[in-house]
Coordinates of all heavy atoms in Angstrom, one line a residue:
R9 N 0.2 -5.4 -25.9 CA 0.4 -4.9 -27.3 C 0.5 -3.4 -27.4 O 1.2 -2.9 -28.1 CB -0.6 -5.5 -28.2 CG -0.6 -7.0 -28.4 CD -1.7 -7.6 -29.1 NE -2.0 -6.9 -30.4 CZ -1.5 -7.4 -31.6 NH1 -0.7 -8.4 -31.5 NH2 -1.6 -6.7 -32.7
T35 N 0.4 -5.5 -10.4 CA 0.2 -6.6 -11.3 C 1.4 -6.7 -12.2 O 1.8 -5.7 -12.7 CB -1.1 -6.5 -12.2 OG1 -2.2 -6.4 -11.4 CG2 -1.3 -7.6 -13.2
D43 N 11.5 -13.1 -31.1 CA 13.0 -13.1 -31.3 C 13.7 -13.4 -30.0 O 14.9 -13.4 -29.9 CB 13.5 -11.8 -31.9 CG 13.1 -10.6 -31.0 OD1 12.6 -10.8 -29.8 OD2 13.4 -9.4 -31.3
R75 N 17.2 3.5 -12.7 CA 18.0 4.5 -13.3 C 19.4 4.6 -12.3 O 20.5 4.7 -12.9 CB 17.4 5.8 -13.5 CG 16.4 5.7 -14.6 CD 15.6 7.0 -14.7 NE 14.7 7.0 -15.9 CZ 13.6 7.8 -16.1 NH1 13.3 8.7 -15.1 NH2 12.8 7.6 -17.1
E92 N 2.0 5.7 -16.6 CA 1.1 5.1 -15.8 C 1.3 3.6 -15.6 O 1.1 3.0 -14.5 CB -0.3 5.2 -16.4 CG -0.9 6.7 -16.5 CD -2.3 6.6 -17.0 OE1 -2.9 5.6 -17.2 OE2 -2.8 7.7 -17.1
A184 N 12.0 9.2 20.5 CA 13.2 9.3 21.4 C 14.5 9.1 20.6 O 15.5 9.5 21.1 CB 13.0 8.2 22.5
P204 N 15.3 -12.1 -0.1 CA 15.7 -13.0 -1.2 C 14.9 -13.0 -2.4 O 15.3 -13.4 -3.5 CB 15.8 -14.4 -0.4 CG 16.1 -14.0 1.0 CD 15.4 -12.7 1.3
S214 N 28.3 -22.2 -15.3 CA 28.7 -23.2 -14.3 C 28.8 -22.6 -12.8 O 28.8 -23.2 -11.8 CB 30.1 -23.7 -14.6 OG 31.1 -22.7 -14.7
A216 N 27.1 -19.9 -10.2 CA 25.8 -19.0 -9.9 C 26.2 -17.6 -9.7 O 27.3 -17.3 -9.2 CB 25.2 -19.5 -8.6
G224 N 12.2 -2.5 -7.2 CA 12.7 -1.4 -6.6 C 11.7 -0.3 -6.2 O 12.0 0.8 -6.0
A258 N 34.0 -2.9 -1.2 CA 33.6 -1.9 -2.4 C 33.4 -0.5 -1.8 O 32.9 0.3 -2.5 CB 32.3 -2.5 -3.0
A262 N 30.2 0.2 7.2 CA 29.3 -0.6 7.9 C 29.8 -0.7 9.4 O 30.4 -1.7 9.9 CB 29.2 -2.0 7.4
F264 N 28.9 -0.2 13.5 CA 27.8 -0.5 14.3 C 28.0 0.0 15.7 O 27.9 -0.6 16.7 CB 27.5 -2.0 14.4 CG 27.0 -2.6 13.0 CD1 28.0 -3.3 12.3 CD2 25.8 -2.3 12.4 CE1 27.7 -3.7 11.0 CE2 25.5 -2.8 11.2 CZ 26.5 -3.5 10.5
A313 N 12.5 -2.1 22.0 CA 13.2 -2.3 23.3 C 14.7 -1.8 23.2 O 15.2 -1.2 24.0 CB 13.3 -3.7 23.8

Side-chain angles (χ1 to χ4, degrees):
R9 289 170 58 88
T35 298
D43 60 6
R75 288 175 176 160
E92 293 185 5
S214 59
F264 298 103

